[in-house]
Amino acid sequence: MLLPKALLAFRRTDPKVHVQVLETSSSEQHSQELIGHRTDVAFVRTPQQDDFITSELLHRQPVLVVLADTNPLSSSASLSASDIANQPIVGYPKHARPILHEALWSGFRKIGAQPNIVCEIIDKSTMLQFVAQGLGIALAPAWVRNIAPPGVSFVPFEPCENLIDLYVAFRKSGNSDTVKRFVDAVRKTTV
């Protein structure tokens, strides 16, 4: 949800700059793109700090349980792994969504159980449709509320240390003035 706002702010200062958005599914891949000068700025879920790259935390969001409105748990104040232990779950493959994958599996490890994963998907809009149709429940970052179809509810997933961070990453040196202005636009968008 941050990128469109940042791009609009950047276009006010640099309307003639062509921005190409490359979507990848891992922070490691983003780092390699930055180091290789194939991209100038990356939005990543884990902090990036080494000899070449730095990153800044933009925001943190809680992990929520996504449920169909018809699910009796949808009116809960919060849900833990033990609360959802008997629910069918729309999960994520570890390589594509490692933070959400780990939030789910670590919660279940703590209670000595295994989640009932009925399918794994990568795309959050697909997940929302599956949940809305009653295929199962899922975990998601809070921002997915903005794209949710009718018939879906969100409940905080406990414990509350389950947070999803968003960082902006860029090279420590050698950035053009245009890249610096873009990073500044991103910073101002999150304020």
PDB file of all heavy atoms in Angstrom, residues 146-174:
ATOM      1  N   ASN A 146      -7.103  -3.836   3.156  1.00  0.00           N
ATOM      2  CA  ASN A 146      -7.367  -2.861   2.091  1.00  0.00           C
ATOM      3  C   ASN A 146      -7.796  -3.498   0.780  1.00  0.00           C
ATOM      4  O   ASN A 146      -8.346  -2.814  -0.077  1.00  0.00           O
ATOM      5  CB  ASN A 146      -6.126  -1.995   1.845  1.00  0.00           C
ATOM      6  CG  ASN A 146      -5.733  -1.205   3.059  1.00  0.00           C
ATOM      7  OD1 ASN A 146      -6.563  -0.762   3.839  1.00  0.00           O
ATOM      8  ND2 ASN A 146      -4.440  -1.029   3.258  1.00  0.00           N
ATOM      9  N   ILE A 147      -7.525  -4.783   0.600  1.00  0.00           N
ATOM     10  CA  ILE A 147      -7.884  -5.444  -0.663  1.00  0.00           C
ATOM     11  C   ILE A 147      -8.858  -6.596  -0.455  1.00  0.00           C
ATOM     12  O   ILE A 147      -9.104  -7.374  -1.372  1.00  0.00           O
ATOM     13  CB  ILE A 147      -6.623  -5.939  -1.414  1.00  0.00           C
ATOM     14  CG1 ILE A 147      -5.851  -6.984  -0.609  1.00  0.00           C
ATOM     15  CG2 ILE A 147      -5.722  -4.764  -1.805  1.00  0.00           C
ATOM     16  CD1 ILE A 147      -4.772  -7.706  -1.398  1.00  0.00           C
ATOM     17  N   ALA A 148      -9.412  -6.705   0.739  1.00  0.00           N
ATOM     18  CA  ALA A 148     -10.268  -7.843   1.066  1.00  0.00           C
ATOM     19  C   ALA A 148     -11.625  -7.756   0.373  1.00  0.00           C
ATOM     20  O   ALA A 148     -12.235  -6.692   0.310  1.00  0.00           O
ATOM     21  CB  ALA A 148     -10.467  -7.919   2.575  1.00  0.00           C
ATOM     22  N   PRO A 149     -12.101  -8.886  -0.121  1.00  0.00           N
ATOM     23  CA  PRO A 149     -13.448  -8.924  -0.701  1.00  0.00           C
ATOM     24  C   PRO A 149     -14.490  -8.956   0.421  1.00  0.00           C
ATOM     25  O   PRO A 149     -14.151  -9.206   1.584  1.00  0.00           O
ATOM     26  CB  PRO A 149     -13.446 -10.239  -1.482  1.00  0.00           C
ATOM     27  CG  PRO A 149     -12.527 -11.118  -0.704  1.00  0.00           C
ATOM     28  CD  PRO A 149     -11.453 -10.185  -0.192  1.00  0.00           C
ATOM     29  N   PRO A 150     -15.743  -8.738   0.098  1.00  0.00           N
ATOM     30  CA  PRO A 150     -16.797  -8.889   1.116  1.00  0.00           C
ATOM     31  C   PRO A 150     -16.804 -10.320   1.659  1.00  0.00           C
ATOM     32  O   PRO A 150     -16.430 -11.263   0.962  1.00  0.00           O
ATOM     33  CB  PRO A 150     -18.090  -8.601   0.341  1.00  0.00           C
ATOM     34  CG  PRO A 150     -17.670  -7.878  -0.889  1.00  0.00           C
ATOM     35  CD  PRO A 150     -16.269  -8.322  -1.206  1.00  0.00           C
ATOM     36  N   GLY A 151     -17.222 -10.449   2.907  1.00  0.00           N
ATOM     37  CA  GLY A 151     -17.346 -11.778   3.494  1.00  0.00           C
ATOM     38  C   GLY A 151     -16.124 -12.265   4.238  1.00  0.00           C
ATOM     39  O   GLY A 151     -16.053 -13.436   4.608  1.00  0.00           O
ATOM     40  N   VAL A 152     -15.158 -11.374   4.474  1.00  0.00           N
ATOM     41  CA  VAL A 152     -13.916 -11.760   5.150  1.00  0.00           C
ATOM     42  C   VAL A 152     -13.752 -10.936   6.424  1.00  0.00           C
ATOM     43  O   VAL A 152     -14.022  -9.735   6.431  1.00  0.00           O
ATOM     44  CB  VAL A 152     -12.701 -11.550   4.213  1.00  0.00           C
ATOM     45  CG1 VAL A 152     -11.402 -11.827   4.936  1.00  0.00           C
ATOM     46  CG2 VAL A 152     -12.821 -12.437   2.992  1.00  0.00           C
ATOM     47  N   SER A 153     -13.322 -11.588   7.495  1.00  0.00           N
ATOM     48  CA  SER A 153     -13.053 -10.926   8.772  1.00  0.00           C
ATOM     49  C   SER A 153     -11.587 -11.088   9.141  1.00  0.00           C
ATOM     50  O   SER A 153     -10.920 -12.020   8.682  1.00  0.00           O
ATOM     51  CB  SER A 153     -13.914 -11.535   9.891  1.00  0.00           C
ATOM     52  OG  SER A 153     -15.266 -11.294   9.661  1.00  0.00           O
ATOM     53  N   PHE A 154     -11.119 -10.194  10.005  1.00  0.00           N
ATOM     54  CA  PHE A 154      -9.731 -10.208  10.458  1.00  0.00           C
ATOM     55  C   PHE A 154      -9.697 -10.171  11.977  1.00  0.00           C
ATOM     56  O   PHE A 154     -10.367  -9.354  12.594  1.00  0.00           O
ATOM     57  CB  PHE A 154      -8.979  -8.994   9.905  1.00  0.00           C
ATOM     58  CG  PHE A 154      -8.921  -8.984   8.405  1.00  0.00           C
ATOM     59  CD1 PHE A 154      -9.924  -8.373   7.667  1.00  0.00           C
ATOM     60  CD2 PHE A 154      -7.884  -9.605   7.749  1.00  0.00           C
ATOM     61  CE1 PHE A 154      -9.885  -8.378   6.285  1.00  0.00           C
ATOM     62  CE2 PHE A 154      -7.836  -9.623   6.366  1.00  0.00           C
ATOM     63  CZ  PHE A 154      -8.842  -9.002   5.630  1.00  0.00           C
ATOM     64  N   VAL A 155      -8.886 -11.057  12.558  1.00  0.00           N
ATOM     65  CA  VAL A 155      -8.741 -11.149  14.010  1.00  0.00           C
ATOM     66  C   VAL A 155      -7.246 -11.188  14.323  1.00  0.00           C
ATOM     67  O   VAL A 155      -6.501 -11.911  13.658  1.00  0.00           O
ATOM     68  CB  VAL A 155      -9.434 -12.429  14.544  1.00  0.00           C
ATOM     69  CG1 VAL A 155      -9.208 -12.590  16.039  1.00  0.00           C
ATOM     70  CG2 VAL A 155     -10.928 -12.417  14.210  1.00  0.00           C
ATOM     71  N   PRO A 156      -6.775 -10.416  15.321  1.00  0.00           N
ATOM     72  CA  PRO A 156      -5.347 -10.454  15.672  1.00  0.00           C
ATOM     73  C   PRO A 156      -4.884 -11.867  16.032  1.00  0.00           C
ATOM     74  O   PRO A 156      -5.595 -12.617  16.709  1.00  0.00           O
ATOM     75  CB  PRO A 156      -5.251  -9.534  16.891  1.00  0.00           C
ATOM     76  CG  PRO A 156      -6.430  -8.617  16.760  1.00  0.00           C
ATOM     77  CD  PRO A 156      -7.521  -9.443  16.132  1.00  0.00           C
ATOM     78  N   PHE A 157      -3.689 -12.220  15.540  1.00  0.00           N
ATOM     79  CA  PHE A 157      -3.077 -13.513  15.841  1.00  0.00           C
ATOM     80  C   PHE A 157      -2.116 -13.314  16.999  1.00  0.00           C
ATOM     81  O   PHE A 157      -1.215 -12.481  16.941  1.00  0.00           O
ATOM     82  CB  PHE A 157      -2.340 -14.046  14.609  1.00  0.00           C
ATOM     83  CG  PHE A 157      -1.751 -15.417  14.784  1.00  0.00           C
ATOM     84  CD1 PHE A 157      -2.554 -16.503  15.082  1.00  0.00           C
ATOM     85  CD2 PHE A 157      -0.390 -15.632  14.616  1.00  0.00           C
ATOM     86  CE1 PHE A 157      -2.022 -17.777  15.222  1.00  0.00           C
ATOM     87  CE2 PHE A 157       0.161 -16.893  14.754  1.00  0.00           C
ATOM     88  CZ  PHE A 157      -0.661 -17.972  15.061  1.00  0.00           C
ATOM     89  N   GLU A 158      -2.328 -14.051  18.060  1.00  0.00           N
ATOM     90  CA  GLU A 158      -1.502 -13.940  19.254  1.00  0.00           C
ATOM     91  C   GLU A 158      -0.468 -15.066  19.278  1.00  0.00           C
ATOM     92  O   GLU A 158      -0.740 -16.135  18.749  1.00  0.00           O
ATOM     93  CB  GLU A 158      -2.386 -14.007  20.508  1.00  0.00           C
ATOM     94  CG  GLU A 158      -3.421 -12.903  20.583  1.00  0.00           C
ATOM     95  CD  GLU A 158      -2.837 -11.517  20.758  1.00  0.00           C
ATOM     96  OE1 GLU A 158      -1.691 -11.397  21.241  1.00  0.00           O
ATOM     97  OE2 GLU A 158      -3.504 -10.544  20.392  1.00  0.00           O
ATOM     98  N   PRO A 159       0.681 -14.892  19.837  1.00  0.00           N
ATOM     99  CA  PRO A 159       1.086 -13.727  20.609  1.00  0.00           C
ATOM    100  C   PRO A 159       1.402 -12.537  19.712  1.00  0.00           C
ATOM    101  O   PRO A 159       1.699 -12.692  18.533  1.00  0.00           O
ATOM    102  CB  PRO A 159       2.334 -14.208  21.352  1.00  0.00           C
ATOM    103  CG  PRO A 159       2.896 -15.284  20.489  1.00  0.00           C
ATOM    104  CD  PRO A 159       1.717 -15.934  19.807  1.00  0.00           C
ATOM    105  N   CYS A 160       1.323 -11.366  20.298  1.00  0.00           N
ATOM    106  CA  CYS A 160       1.427 -10.134  19.512  1.00  0.00           C
ATOM    107  C   CYS A 160       2.837  -9.843  19.005  1.00  0.00           C
ATOM    108  O   CYS A 160       3.055  -8.865  18.324  1.00  0.00           O
ATOM    109  CB  CYS A 160       0.868  -8.954  20.285  1.00  0.00           C
ATOM    110  SG  CYS A 160       1.656  -8.669  21.863  1.00  0.00           S
ATOM    111  N   GLU A 161       3.829 -10.688  19.310  1.00  0.00           N
ATOM    112  CA  GLU A 161       5.170 -10.453  18.749  1.00  0.00           C
ATOM    113  C   GLU A 161       5.245 -10.838  17.276  1.00  0.00           C
ATOM    114  O   GLU A 161       6.254 -10.642  16.626  1.00  0.00           O
ATOM    115  CB  GLU A 161       6.256 -11.178  19.538  1.00  0.00           C
ATOM    116  CG  GLU A 161       6.305 -12.660  19.295  1.00  0.00           C
ATOM    117  CD  GLU A 161       5.907 -13.483  20.506  1.00  0.00           C
ATOM    118  OE1 GLU A 161       5.411 -12.933  21.478  1.00  0.00           O
ATOM    119  OE2 GLU A 161       6.094 -14.702  20.463  1.00  0.00           O
ATOM    120  N   ASN A 162       4.167 -11.396  16.748  1.00  0.00           N
ATOM    121  CA  ASN A 162       4.117 -11.720  15.327  1.00  0.00           C
ATOM    122  C   ASN A 162       3.898 -10.431  14.539  1.00  0.00           C
ATOM    123  O   ASN A 162       2.773  -9.980  14.353  1.00  0.00           O
ATOM    124  CB  ASN A 162       2.983 -12.710  15.028  1.00  0.00           C
ATOM    125  CG  ASN A 162       3.291 -14.085  15.564  1.00  0.00           C
ATOM    126  OD1 ASN A 162       4.343 -14.634  15.281  1.00  0.00           O
ATOM    127  ND2 ASN A 162       2.393 -14.628  16.349  1.00  0.00           N
ATOM    128  N   LEU A 163       4.993  -9.835  14.104  1.00  0.00           N
ATOM    129  CA  LEU A 163       4.934  -8.584  13.352  1.00  0.00           C
ATOM    130  C   LEU A 163       5.604  -8.771  11.997  1.00  0.00           C
ATOM    131  O   LEU A 163       6.551  -9.546  11.869  1.00  0.00           O
ATOM    132  CB  LEU A 163       5.641  -7.461  14.117  1.00  0.00           C
ATOM    133  CG  LEU A 163       5.039  -7.090  15.474  1.00  0.00           C
ATOM    134  CD1 LEU A 163       5.954  -6.108  16.196  1.00  0.00           C
ATOM    135  CD2 LEU A 163       3.652  -6.502  15.307  1.00  0.00           C
ATOM    136  N   ILE A 164       5.110  -8.024  11.031  1.00  0.00           N
ATOM    137  CA  ILE A 164       5.712  -8.046   9.703  1.00  0.00           C
ATOM    138  C   ILE A 164       6.266  -6.657   9.438  1.00  0.00           C
ATOM    139  O   ILE A 164       5.528  -5.665   9.455  1.00  0.00           O
ATOM    140  CB  ILE A 164       4.690  -8.455   8.631  1.00  0.00           C
ATOM    141  CG1 ILE A 164       4.219  -9.888   8.920  1.00  0.00           C
ATOM    142  CG2 ILE A 164       5.290  -8.335   7.241  1.00  0.00           C
ATOM    143  CD1 ILE A 164       3.255 -10.427   7.920  1.00  0.00           C
ATOM    144  N   ASP A 165       7.569  -6.596   9.232  1.00  0.00           N
ATOM    145  CA  ASP A 165       8.253  -5.328   9.001  1.00  0.00           C
ATOM    146  C   ASP A 165       8.376  -5.054   7.509  1.00  0.00           C
ATOM    147  O   ASP A 165       8.403  -5.981   6.697  1.00  0.00           O
ATOM    148  CB  ASP A 165       9.669  -5.372   9.598  1.00  0.00           C
ATOM    149  CG  ASP A 165       9.664  -5.545  11.102  1.00  0.00           C
ATOM    150  OD1 ASP A 165       8.643  -5.247  11.744  1.00  0.00           O
ATOM    151  OD2 ASP A 165      10.697  -5.980  11.640  1.00  0.00           O
ATOM    152  N   LEU A 166       8.484  -3.778   7.187  1.00  0.00           N
ATOM    153  CA  LEU A 166       8.794  -3.370   5.822  1.00  0.00           C
ATOM    154  C   LEU A 166       9.954  -2.387   5.881  1.00  0.00           C
ATOM    155  O   LEU A 166       9.899  -1.399   6.611  1.00  0.00           O
ATOM    156  CB  LEU A 166       7.592  -2.717   5.136  1.00  0.00           C
ATOM    157  CG  LEU A 166       7.847  -2.297   3.685  1.00  0.00           C
ATOM    158  CD1 LEU A 166       8.073  -3.517   2.795  1.00  0.00           C
ATOM    159  CD2 LEU A 166       6.709  -1.448   3.164  1.00  0.00           C
ATOM    160  N   TYR A 167      11.001  -2.691   5.124  1.00  0.00           N
ATOM    161  CA  TYR A 167      12.195  -1.857   5.058  1.00  0.00           C
ATOM    162  C   TYR A 167      12.377  -1.348   3.633  1.00  0.00           C
ATOM    163  O   TYR A 167      11.998  -2.018   2.684  1.00  0.00           O
ATOM    164  CB  TYR A 167      13.451  -2.661   5.415  1.00  0.00           C
ATOM    165  CG  TYR A 167      13.500  -3.161   6.828  1.00  0.00           C
ATOM    166  CD1 TYR A 167      12.851  -4.333   7.197  1.00  0.00           C
ATOM    167  CD2 TYR A 167      14.210  -2.473   7.803  1.00  0.00           C
ATOM    168  CE1 TYR A 167      12.894  -4.804   8.494  1.00  0.00           C
ATOM    169  CE2 TYR A 167      14.260  -2.938   9.109  1.00  0.00           C
ATOM    170  CZ  TYR A 167      13.605  -4.106   9.445  1.00  0.00           C
ATOM    171  OH  TYR A 167      13.650  -4.569  10.738  1.00  0.00           O
ATOM    172  N   VAL A 168      12.996  -0.174   3.515  1.00  0.00           N
ATOM    173  CA  VAL A 168      13.478   0.274   2.214  1.00  0.00           C
ATOM    174  C   VAL A 168      14.990   0.039   2.235  1.00  0.00           C
ATOM    175  O   VAL A 168      15.672   0.383   3.197  1.00  0.00           O
ATOM    176  CB  VAL A 168      13.120   1.757   1.919  1.00  0.00           C
ATOM    177  CG1 VAL A 168      13.729   2.716   2.937  1.00  0.00           C
ATOM    178  CG2 VAL A 168      13.531   2.131   0.496  1.00  0.00           C
ATOM    179  N   ALA A 169      15.488  -0.603   1.193  1.00  0.00           N
ATOM    180  CA  ALA A 169      16.917  -0.922   1.108  1.00  0.00           C
ATOM    181  C   ALA A 169      17.498  -0.256  -0.132  1.00  0.00           C
ATOM    182  O   ALA A 169      16.830  -0.138  -1.167  1.00  0.00           O
ATOM    183  CB  ALA A 169      17.128  -2.429   1.043  1.00  0.00           C
ATOM    184  N   PHE A 170      18.748   0.165  -0.008  1.00  0.00           N
ATOM    185  CA  PHE A 170      19.447   0.808  -1.124  1.00  0.00           C
ATOM    186  C   PHE A 170      20.944   0.705  -0.882  1.00  0.00           C
ATOM    187  O   PHE A 170      21.388   0.359   0.218  1.00  0.00           O
ATOM    188  CB  PHE A 170      19.003   2.269  -1.282  1.00  0.00           C
ATOM    189  CG  PHE A 170      18.989   3.049   0.017  1.00  0.00           C
ATOM    190  CD1 PHE A 170      20.099   3.760   0.441  1.00  0.00           C
ATOM    191  CD2 PHE A 170      17.851   3.047   0.816  1.00  0.00           C
ATOM    192  CE1 PHE A 170      20.088   4.459   1.635  1.00  0.00           C
ATOM    193  CE2 PHE A 170      17.827   3.750   2.020  1.00  0.00           C
ATOM    194  CZ  PHE A 170      18.956   4.460   2.422  1.00  0.00           C
ATOM    195  N   ARG A 171      21.719   0.977  -1.922  1.00  0.00           N
ATOM    196  CA  ARG A 171      23.181   0.902  -1.789  1.00  0.00           C
ATOM    197  C   ARG A 171      23.686   2.029  -0.878  1.00  0.00           C
ATOM    198  O   ARG A 171      23.147   3.130  -0.869  1.00  0.00           O
ATOM    199  CB  ARG A 171      23.836   0.990  -3.158  1.00  0.00           C
ATOM    200  CG  ARG A 171      23.692  -0.297  -3.974  1.00  0.00           C
ATOM    201  CD  ARG A 171      24.408  -0.220  -5.316  1.00  0.00           C
ATOM    202  NE  ARG A 171      23.816   0.776  -6.195  1.00  0.00           N
ATOM    203  CZ  ARG A 171      22.706   0.606  -6.909  1.00  0.00           C
ATOM    204  NH1 ARG A 171      22.052  -0.537  -6.844  1.00  0.00           N
ATOM    205  NH2 ARG A 171      22.239   1.559  -7.684  1.00  0.00           N
ATOM    206  N   LYS A 172      24.738   1.734  -0.131  1.00  0.00           N
ATOM    207  CA  LYS A 172      25.316   2.720   0.784  1.00  0.00           C
ATOM    208  C   LYS A 172      25.975   3.873   0.053  1.00  0.00           C
ATOM    209  O   LYS A 172      26.062   4.975   0.588  1.00  0.00           O
ATOM    210  CB  LYS A 172      26.335   2.058   1.715  1.00  0.00           C
ATOM    211  CG  LYS A 172      25.707   1.181   2.769  1.00  0.00           C
ATOM    212  CD  LYS A 172      26.761   0.602   3.695  1.00  0.00           C
ATOM    213  CE  LYS A 172      26.122  -0.173   4.816  1.00  0.00           C
ATOM    214  NZ  LYS A 172      27.105  -0.788   5.712  1.00  0.00           N
ATOM    215  N   SER A 173      26.466   3.626  -1.149  1.00  0.00           N
ATOM    216  CA  SER A 173      27.141   4.698  -1.891  1.00  0.00           C
ATOM    217  C   SER A 173      26.863   4.538  -3.379  1.00  0.00           C
ATOM    218  O   SER A 173      26.411   3.491  -3.833  1.00  0.00           O
ATOM    219  CB  SER A 173      28.654   4.671  -1.626  1.00  0.00           C
ATOM    220  OG  SER A 173      29.207   3.458  -2.099  1.00  0.00           O
ATOM    221  N   GLY A 174      27.135   5.607  -4.109  1.00  0.00           N
ATOM    222  CA  GLY A 174      26.994   5.557  -5.562  1.00  0.00           C
ATOM    223  C   GLY A 174      25.582   5.758  -6.079  1.00  0.00           C
ATOM    224  O   GLY A 174      25.315   5.516  -7.251  1.00  0.00           O
TER     225      GLY A 174
END
